[in-house]
């Protein structure tokens, strides 16, 4: 029943992405604007690692299906499960059924959510890097440069902030569905390992589900929490510069416009990426989530 629910969540995840299509395109276009190009990073450095992960995700179902077929060789119920009870007489036929059946399973439960999670991670990481670069530029600017460079730099913050706000709106619902699906995978693994005797081929399935679920939860949570952390750092930098201008009595030299923009950055609320507004993506989310799983595992052991 839990697997059926995960399939439903995968369908809802796709529907939510299609629904947010009108926001995804403007979001990507804003991230690709020339003024937001990242410095000191070559194209190879930016994309080689993500391409490597994508290649691993695409090839993983084939490797896992091959290993699953090897481990389940001779198990009659496995082939019957994939054929809905139809009897396959030859060993080669059973192996083909197990391979293609397990391959489709791993595509739906492993490849599909991991590709979506990787896409989310790349977009979130891009926003985080833009915020980090802006903070570095703001931190490195000299006071005598504020009349010429400071105003333009601070104006760019409004564009970046709007992009982050659009990011939160776009990924809110997809994050909810993919997080819920990952938690269900961890629940299935814990329940089966603690309660039942698991054969090797099914153990492979549980391990891969656990690894994919943990990877999605950890990567999205850590990258998502970086957005709010970078926004907070920018606020601290703006406050430091504003105090420095007041301490050195440079109000007239820097101009009222500069002070207004600095105070505006300080007064903005820090944006937290969230899953439908129910859970904010913060580092402590991982501790609470894993603590809940451990508590649930102890409860299951005590009940049985």
């Amino acid at each position: 029943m839990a697997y059926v629910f995960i399939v439903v969540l995968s369908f809802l995840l796709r529907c939510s992405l299609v629904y947010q299509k009108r926001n995804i395109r403007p979001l990507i276009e804003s991230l690709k604007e020339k003024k937001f190009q990242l410095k000191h990073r070559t194209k190879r450095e930016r994309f080689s690692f993500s391409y490597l992960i994508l290649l691993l995700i695409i090839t993983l179902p084939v490797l896992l299906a091959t290993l699953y077929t090897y481990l389940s060789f001779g198990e009659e119920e496995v082939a019957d499960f994939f054929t809905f009870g139809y009897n396959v007489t030859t060993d080669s036929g059973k192996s083909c059924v197990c391979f293609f059946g397990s391959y489709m399973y791993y595509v739906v439960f492993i490849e599909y959510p991991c590709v979506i999670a990787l896409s989310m991670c790349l977009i979130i990481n891009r926003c985080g890097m833009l915020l980090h670069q802006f903070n570095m530029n703001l931190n490195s600017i000299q006071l005598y440069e504020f009349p010429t460079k400071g105003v333009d730099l601070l104006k760019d913050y409004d564009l970046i902030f709007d992009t982050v706000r659009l990011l939160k709106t776009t990924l809110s619902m997809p994050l909810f569905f993919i997080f819920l699906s990952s938690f269900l995978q961890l629940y299935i693994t814990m329940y089966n390992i603690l309660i039942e005797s698991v054969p090797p081929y099914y153990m492979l399935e549980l391990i891969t589900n656990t690894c994919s679920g943990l990877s999605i939860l950890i990567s999205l949570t850590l990258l998502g929490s970086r957005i709010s952390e970078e926004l907070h750092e920018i606020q601290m930098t703006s406050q430091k510069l504003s105090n420095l201008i007041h301490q050195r009595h440079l109000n007239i030299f820097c101009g009222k416009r500069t002070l207004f923009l600095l105070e505006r950055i300080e007064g903005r609320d820090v944006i937290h990426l969230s899953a439908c507004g129910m859970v904010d993506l913060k580092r402590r989310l991982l501790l609470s989530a894993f603590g809940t799983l451990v508590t649930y595992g102890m409860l299951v052991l005590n009940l049985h």
Side-chain angles (χ1 to χ4, degrees):
M1 186 63 185
Y3 282 111
V4 176
F5 194 40
I6 292 177
V7 173
V8 173
L9 288 175
S10 299
F11 175 75
L12 293 176
L13 174 61
R14 183 183 184 279
C15 292
S16 65
L17 290 173
V18 173
Y19 177 75
Q20 293 293 342
K21 187 177 181 179
R22 67 182 188 276
N23 290 332
I24 293 177
R25 287 183 177 177
L27 175 62
I28 295 176
E29 290 175 359
S30 63
L31 291 174
K32 293 170 63 177
E33 285 189 17
K34 189 174 182 180
K35 65 169 60 179
F36 292 154
Q37 293 300 311
L38 298 172
K39 300 177 181 179
H40 310 300
R41 291 177 62 86
T42 64
K43 185 176 181 180
R44 182 181 180 85
E45 291 173 339
R46 287 200 301 266
F47 297 112
S48 59
F49 184 65
S50 58
Y51 282 154
L52 181 62
I53 296 178
L54 181 60
L55 180 62
L56 177 63
I57 293 173
I58 293 175
T59 57
L60 198 58
V62 178
L63 300 176
L64 292 174
T66 304
L67 184 57
Y68 184 92
T69 304
Y70 172 77
L71 294 175
S72 63
F73 184 78
E75 300 287 344
E76 298 291 338
E77 66 274 8
V78 177
D80 293 340
F81 172 78
F82 288 119
T83 58
F84 299 98
Y86 180 79
N87 188 22
V88 181
T89 56
T90 62
D91 291 338
S92 59
K94 292 178 181 179
S95 297
C96 290
V97 167
C98 291
F99 176 81
F100 287 107
S102 59
Y103 174 77
M104 289 186 290
Y105 169 84
Y106 287 121
V107 167
V108 173
F109 286 89
I110 303 297
E111 180 180 335
Y112 178 69
C114 286
V115 168
I116 293 178
L118 177 62
S119 303
M120 291 182 180
C121 287
L122 291 175
I123 294 177
I124 295 173
N125 184 56
R126 174 76 176 186
C127 286
M129 293 172 66
L130 286 176
L131 291 170
H132 179 72
Q133 178 174 281
F134 177 85
N135 187 43
M136 295 292 292
N137 294 337
L138 187 62
N139 219 351
S140 61
I141 193 171
Q142 302 296 325
L143 290 178
Y144 64 84
E145 295 178 326
F146 260 107
T148 55
K149 298 181 180 179
V151 175
D152 293 334
L153 180 63
L154 295 175
K155 284 182 179 179
D156 290 341
Y157 180 76
D158 289 335
L159 299 177
I160 299 176
F161 192 85
D162 291 338
T163 301
V164 175
R165 188 157 44 194
L166 180 61
L167 175 71
K168 178 181 179 179
T169 304
T170 304
L171 297 185
S172 178
M173 192 175 296
L175 282 173
F176 173 76
F177 290 127
I178 200 168
F179 268 45
L180 188 56
S181 177
S182 300
F183 276 119
L184 273 178
Q185 288 180 339
L186 297 179
Y187 157 78
I188 293 172
T189 301
M190 179 170 291
Y191 180 84
N192 284 277
I193 290 178
L194 294 177
I195 301 302
E196 301 176 357
S197 177
V198 181
Y201 61 88
Y202 190 44
M203 179 62 73
L204 173 66
E205 177 183 322
L206 295 177
I207 291 175
T208 52
N209 286 342
T210 302
C211 292
S212 64
L214 287 176
S215 300
I216 291 172
L217 287 174
I218 293 174
S219 59
L220 286 175
T221 302
L222 292 180
L223 289 175
S225 64
R226 183 186 176 189
I227 299 295
S228 56
E229 292 171 359
E230 292 292 346
L231 287 172
H232 180 70
E233 288 294 327
I234 291 174
Q235 284 187 336
M236 294 297 101
T237 303
S238 301
Q239 185 178 8
K240 182 186 70 173
L241 290 173
S242 180
N243 293 336
L244 191 61
I245 291 174
H246 286 296
Q247 288 175 2
R248 298 188 180 182
H249 306 288
L250 298 175
N251 306 45
I252 299 177
F253 175 76
C254 293
K256 294 182 179 180
R257 180 66 172 169
T258 301
L259 290 173
F260 171 76
L261 292 174
L262 287 173
E263 292 173 357
R264 184 176 178 181
I265 293 177
E266 294 176 40
R268 285 184 180 270
D269 294 330
V270 175
I271 295 178
H272 295 275
L273 298 186
S274 65
C276 280
M278 299 180 184
V279 179
D280 290 337
L281 269 62
K282 300 179 181 179
R283 294 179 185 270
R284 63 172 179 263
L285 172 64
L286 295 176
L287 295 177
S288 59
F290 294 142
T292 302
L293 286 175
V294 172
T295 304
Y296 172 78
M298 296 176 63
L299 180 62
V300 170
L301 285 176
N302 291 329
L303 291 177
H304 293 269

